[in-house]
């Protein structure tokens, strides 16, 4: 079941003034896929999620689940709203909301018991939900005896046990340590793919968005900036904000010289670069962004390749899997990553690097 949002507006009135949390947001969240709302704190992504769940009332617009309108209000009119408990939506919170005085079984069974389902039906559905999230055998375990990742899976099982049409996630992995967050992210992607349910996931973590999503929606200041597949958002963003938010890029200004086959030649402070991008007239001023992973140290025989840049290794920071390096090319600084399996150059040493044209793009 898809979620269709049309011209949704929400303003919060605070002592410091009005804050427009949602500015005429129009969006279709595809059925049976994982969609992520990605953006910095305060961009409106959690407000949008809460409006969909029925926990927040918008000022105007429309929200529909498939053909069913669950919230609608025109300017000056009275709202038409379906109560949260009748929307068929489950929600997994940042804090898990696990009751510490209950066992795993009791936590998962609570939504079904509150609806008065027969004990046999409750037991069957709880057993299936726990098996799905790989917590079979934990039924009698106190909630406080679980790890953070296990508590997150209990929260997911409790959301799934009601067989919702839609499941919403509000930054559910933010309280986990880095290793556990990576493992849980992988498990969650696998579970959601198997489930085939419409899922909407809120995060400010770009890695979560790229790893979990079929569709990424980037928000800023209460509006949608861009949307696309993880590959489209990462490799072909259309705005500088998205490139900067995803990180791992260098920006240089330049002037278009002309075309060289399918590539555009741009004169920059780094020298003449062949870049991917839309057609631009010779003489046009453009901004080029260069992904750090598209830069490597030049090897013997690379002198004839395009985009060979020479400079001085300004800084080198060891980060385990790689070195975070910065190269000074006259007044320009070029950030890159060096693999840590081979000895790196020394700081202050003159080096040559190759920039792959596929990772050097004109910002449209």
């Amino acid at each position: 079941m898809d979620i269709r949002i049309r011209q949704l507006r929400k303003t919060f009135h605070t002592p410091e003034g009005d804050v427009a949390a949602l500015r005429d947001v129009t969006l279709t969240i595809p059925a049976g896929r994982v969609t992520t709302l990605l953006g910095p704190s305060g961009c409106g992504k959690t407000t949008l999620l809460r409006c969909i769940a029925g926990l927040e009332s918008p000022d105007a617009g429309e929200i529909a689940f498939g053909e069913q309108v669950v919230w609608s209000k025109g300017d000056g009119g009275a709202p038409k709203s379906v109560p949260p408990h009748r929307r068929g939506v489950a929600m997994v919170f940042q804090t898990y909301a696990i009751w510490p005085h209950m066992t795993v079984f009791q936590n998962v069974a609570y939504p079904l018991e509150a609806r008065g389902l027969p004990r046999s039906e409750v037991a069957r559905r709880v057993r299936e939900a726990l098996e799905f999230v790989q917590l079979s055998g934990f039924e009698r375990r106190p909630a406080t005896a679980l790890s953070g990742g296990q508590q997150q899976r209990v929260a997911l099982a409790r959301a799934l046990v009601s067989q919702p049409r839609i499941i919403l996630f509000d930054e559910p992995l933010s309280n986990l340590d880095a290793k556990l967050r990576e493992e849980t992210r992988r498990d969650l992607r696998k579970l959601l793919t198997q489930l085939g349910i419409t899922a909407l996931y809120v995060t400010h973590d770009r890695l979560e968005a790229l790893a979990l999503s079929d569709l990424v929606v980037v928000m800023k200041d209460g509006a949608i900036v861009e949307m696309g597949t993880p590959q489209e958002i990462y490799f072909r963003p259309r705005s500088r904000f998205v490139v900067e938010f995803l990180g791992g890029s260098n920006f240089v200004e330049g002037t278009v010289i002309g075309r060289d086959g399918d590539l555009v030649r741009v004169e920059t402070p780094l020298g003449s670069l062949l870049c991917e991008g839309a057609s631009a007239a010779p003489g046009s001023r453009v901004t080029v962004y260069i992904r750090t992973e598209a830069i490597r140290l030049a090897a013997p025989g690379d002198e004839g390749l395009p985009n060979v840049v020479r400079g001085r290794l300004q800084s080198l920071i060891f980060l385990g899997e790689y070195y975070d390096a910065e190269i000074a090319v006259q007044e320009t600084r070029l950030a890159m990553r060096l693999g840590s399996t081979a000895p790196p150059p020394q700081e202050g040493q003159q080096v040559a690097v190759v920039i792959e044209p596929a990772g050097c793009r004109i910002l449209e």
Side-chain angles (χ1 to χ4, degrees):
M1 176 176 293
D2 63 0
I3 305 172
R4 288 179 289 123
I5 300 160
R6 186 173 63 87
Q7 294 183 318
L8 207 66
R9 299 202 301 269
K10 176 65 179 178
T11 298
F12 291 105
H13 305 286
T14 72
E16 290 77 25
D18 292 349
V19 178
L22 298 175
R23 304 170 185 263
D24 290 312
V25 172
T26 296
L27 170 68
T28 297
I29 297 163
R33 311 301 292 273
V34 182
T35 299
T36 295
L37 300 178
L38 174 67
S41 297
C43 71
K45 55 189 186 294
T46 295
T47 300
L48 180 56
L49 193 81
R50 289 174 61 83
C51 288
I52 293 169
L55 303 178
E56 201 74 63
S57 182
D59 299 327
E62 182 179 281
I63 303 172
F65 297 167
E67 298 302 319
Q68 180 193 15
V69 175
V70 298
W71 196 92
S72 179
K73 180 180 182 295
D75 291 328
K80 299 176 182 178
S81 179
V82 174
H85 65 278
R86 291 179 52 198
R87 296 191 181 191
V89 171
M91 194 161 179
V92 180
F93 295 93
Q94 180 178 351
T95 56
Y96 316 149
I98 297 296
W99 290 291
H101 63 286
M102 293 184 179
T103 64
V104 169
F105 181 93
Q106 291 169 331
N107 266 283
V108 179
Y110 182 82
L112 303 181
E113 293 174 341
R115 289 161 50 184
L117 268 64
R119 288 186 178 180
S120 60
E121 177 72 4
V122 171
R124 180 185 67 81
R125 287 170 62 169
V126 170
R127 183 176 64 252
E128 290 175 353
L130 290 176
E131 182 179 351
F132 188 75
V133 299
Q134 302 174 16
L135 284 178
S136 295
F138 285 74
E139 289 85 351
R140 298 181 182 275
R141 191 79 62 90
T144 52
L146 301 177
S147 68
Q150 289 170 334
Q151 289 187 40
Q152 189 56 264
R153 281 189 276 167
V154 170
L156 178 60
R158 186 176 59 197
L160 297 177
V161 78
S162 299
Q163 298 175 349
R165 300 183 295 175
I166 295 165
I167 187 166
L168 309 175
F169 296 89
D170 187 11
E171 305 206 45
L173 307 185
S174 59
N175 289 331
L176 303 181
D177 62 55
K179 183 175 185 298
L180 188 55
R181 187 164 59 246
E182 182 178 343
E183 293 173 355
T184 307
R185 183 172 64 222
R186 188 182 304 113
D187 291 342
L188 184 57
R189 173 62 189 178
K190 181 179 178 181
L191 292 174
L192 291 175
T193 300
Q194 291 175 354
L195 193 62
I197 194 173
T198 303
L200 184 61
Y201 192 101
V202 161
T203 184
H204 63 271
D205 187 316
R206 69 181 183 95
L207 293 180
E208 279 184 25
L210 297 175
L212 285 169
S213 309
D214 298 303
L215 178 69
V216 179
V217 179
V218 184
M219 296 187 66
K220 177 188 178 185
D221 297 334
I224 295 173
V225 178
E226 254 179 77
M227 58 188 296
T229 66
Q231 293 81 4
E232 289 169 342
I233 290 294
Y234 188 80
F235 290 113
R236 286 171 172 78
R238 297 186 300 274
S239 71
R240 180 162 181 155
F241 170 79
V242 173
V243 178
E244 289 179 332
F245 188 77
L246 292 178
S249 289
N250 301 273
F251 291 92
V252 292
E253 303 299 320
T255 302
V256 173
I257 299 174
R259 297 197 68 85
D260 191 335
D262 293 332
L263 301 174
V264 180
R265 185 171 294 279
V266 183
E267 189 64 38
T268 76
L270 300 175
S272 178
L273 298 178
L274 284 178
C275 307
E276 290 192 348
S279 298
S284 300
R285 293 290 296 173
V286 294
T287 298
V288 173
Y289 67 92
I290 304 168
R291 293 289 185 195
T292 54
E293 68 269 20
I295 310 171
R296 63 175 176 83
L297 288 175
D302 284 346
E303 291 79 7
L305 293 178
N307 297 1
V308 176
V309 175
R310 291 172 174 78
R312 182 173 56 84
L313 185 60
Q314 185 80 8
S315 66
L316 193 68
I317 301 174
F318 178 65
L319 295 175
E321 298 175 0
Y322 58 88
Y323 289 92
D324 195 347
E326 186 178 74
I327 296 170
V329 184
Q330 298 182 24
E331 300 300 320
T332 303
R333 298 292 182 268
L334 189 64
M336 65 177 294
R337 290 180 175 181
L338 299 176
S340 60
T341 56
Q346 299 296 310
E347 290 185 355
Q349 183 178 336
Q350 293 292 319
V351 295
V353 298
V354 178
I355 301 172
E356 300 294 339
C360 177
R361 293 188 59 84
I362 294 174
L363 192 62
E364 298 178 16

